[in-house]
Amino acid sequence: MNDANDPYRAAGVDVEAGDALVERIKPMVAATRRPGADAAIGAFAGAFDLAAAGHTDSLLFAATDGVGTKLRLATDMDRHEGIGIDLVAMVVNDLLANGAEPLFFLDYFATAKLRPDHAATVIKGIADGCIEAGCALIGGETAEMPGHYAGEDYDLAGFAVGAAPRTRVLPQHVTAGDTILALPSSGLHSNGYSLVRKLIAEGKLPQSESLLTPTRIYVRPVLKALTAHDGIRAIAHITGGGLTGNLPRVLPNTLAATLQRSAFPAHPIIDAVKAAGALTDTQMEATFNCGIGLALVVARETADAVAQTLTTAGETPTMIGTITPRSGSACVIA
């Protein structure tokens, strides 16, 4: 159909391209099936059967997020393979911080002009992230909005619901003397990219593939540890606000996290950003994850067992500090 016979298409919206994209991504979505959802798309809303997923006395948790200006960098570099994984990771890791198992995910993809190949690449990343997190992709929205977005710009948002047994909802019973275990990040994850892009623009930091390494998804190993042990008392997802902004969120106001900087997992890209920006340790810790994607507060007597379960599940936990009575700052780093 030519534009003269289709005023909506003449206005810049290609409905046929949208329909073709839906058909193209159906196998990707179907691959995310799990108990409780068949991961079929096309209905006006997605359904999930809690009982089929084994949740009969659980609390539901919901989370939403995007990937920030890492999306701008992906567009500048024309590399979109991992950005969907980032989107899923940012949301499901937040659910995990409450002890919740991610159940289902929905995405929102908006652009000026729908390019089916590009959109399919992004959505495949979302489906891959859902498979890794064990949650079903049960729906989403693709919006073509000429005049609102320009050129090849696009935006992403993700939404997920998870469930946790009432007895496992976190945080709970955080106590002075508890151990803090760190699970390493894959790099910058999806935070601090406004600063990163500024450093690139100033010629202080090279534009490299390592800057687009997807955010790690910690769901499967941490759920194994939560199922095997009662001693996990809190989980902090280290995102915007960095290490010092996120650990205090899971602590009562009478306690602090006392950390040893020398124990933080090292990562080359994090070191490169620090050097490029001539940033202090304090500035880094307030902005970036500093090599720590997830921090677990664990009862001291079960810390070794939890660490062993995580190791068996493929993680490399590191003891980075302890919980102490608060006398000043909520996060003390030595």
Side-chain angles (χ1 to χ4, degrees):
M1 183 182 295
N2 64 45
D3 290 356
N5 296 325
D6 185 349
Y8 200 30
R9 186 166 185 168
V13 179
D14 189 342
V15 175
E16 292 179 359
D19 292 342
L21 176 63
V22 170
E23 291 303 313
R24 184 167 176 174
I25 65 176
K26 278 184 177 179
M28 304 175 195
V29 175
T32 71
R33 288 188 183 101
R34 55 149 295 152
D38 62 9
I41 57 171
F44 286 99
F48 193 91
D49 185 339
L50 279 170
H55 287 280
T56 56
D57 186 28
S58 297
L59 296 183
L60 292 179
F61 290 86
T64 183
D65 211 336
V67 295
T69 58
K70 187 174 187 177
L71 194 61
R72 177 76 262 161
L73 186 61
T75 299
D76 291 345
M77 296 176 65
D78 195 24
R79 295 300 303 269
H80 310 278
E81 297 85 354
I83 207 74
I85 297 174
D86 280 301
L87 182 67
V88 175
M90 294 301 290
V91 181
V92 299
N93 288 341
D94 277 355
L95 292 177
L96 193 61
N98 286 109
E101 171 196 6
L103 300 176
F104 59 84
F105 191 91
L106 299 97
D107 68 277
Y108 177 78
F109 178 100
T111 186
K113 179 68 176 176
L114 185 61
R115 295 174 290 143
D117 287 348
H118 165 252
T121 297
V122 174
I123 294 170
K124 183 181 185 304
I126 294 171
D128 289 345
C130 286
I131 292 169
E132 187 174 349
C135 64
L137 179 57
I138 66 169
E141 174 71 8
T142 301
E144 197 172 20
M145 297 192 287
H148 185 70
Y149 294 96
E152 297 185 350
D153 287 354
Y154 68 104
D155 203 2
L156 289 175
F159 315 85
V161 170
R166 291 179 186 273
T167 56
R168 199 178 74 192
V169 173
L170 301 178
Q172 58 174 274
H173 313 306
V174 178
T175 304
D178 287 348
T179 297
I180 303 171
L181 296 176
L183 300 186
S185 69
S186 57
L188 299 177
H189 282 186
S190 297
N191 299 105
Y193 276 83
S194 293
L195 176 54
V196 167
R197 288 174 48 247
K198 180 175 182 290
L199 294 174
I200 292 171
E202 293 172 347
K204 297 176 180 177
L205 183 70
Q207 194 177 79
S208 66
E209 292 283 331
S210 59
L211 292 169
L212 292 180
T213 301
T215 305
R216 290 196 62 215
I217 294 172
Y218 299 95
V219 171
R220 293 184 188 273
V222 172
L223 285 180
K224 287 181 180 178
L226 284 167
T227 301
H229 306 284
D230 294 329
I232 299 176
R233 292 174 165 169
I235 298 174
H237 182 201
I238 311 304
T239 57
L243 188 60
T244 54
N246 285 285
L247 252 176
R249 294 172 62 182
V250 301
L251 304 179
N253 59 17
T254 57
L255 297 176
T258 299
L259 309 177
Q260 296 297 318
R261 189 175 288 124
S262 60
F264 293 177
H267 198 286
I269 193 61
I270 292 172
D271 293 340
V273 169
K274 180 181 180 183
L279 303 172
T280 66
D281 288 329
T282 300
Q283 290 169 330
M284 288 292 296
E285 290 150 4
T287 306
F288 298 101
N289 63 54
C290 297
I292 299 164
L294 213 66
L296 287 72
V297 178
V298 182
R300 179 171 51 190
E301 62 272 18
T302 60
D304 288 344
V306 169
Q308 183 56 56
T309 297
L310 290 167
T311 301
T312 301
E315 280 294 340
T316 53
T318 303
M319 202 281 275
I320 61 167
T322 57
I323 301 300
T324 57
R326 186 184 303 189
S327 59
S329 174
C331 195
V332 180
I333 304 178

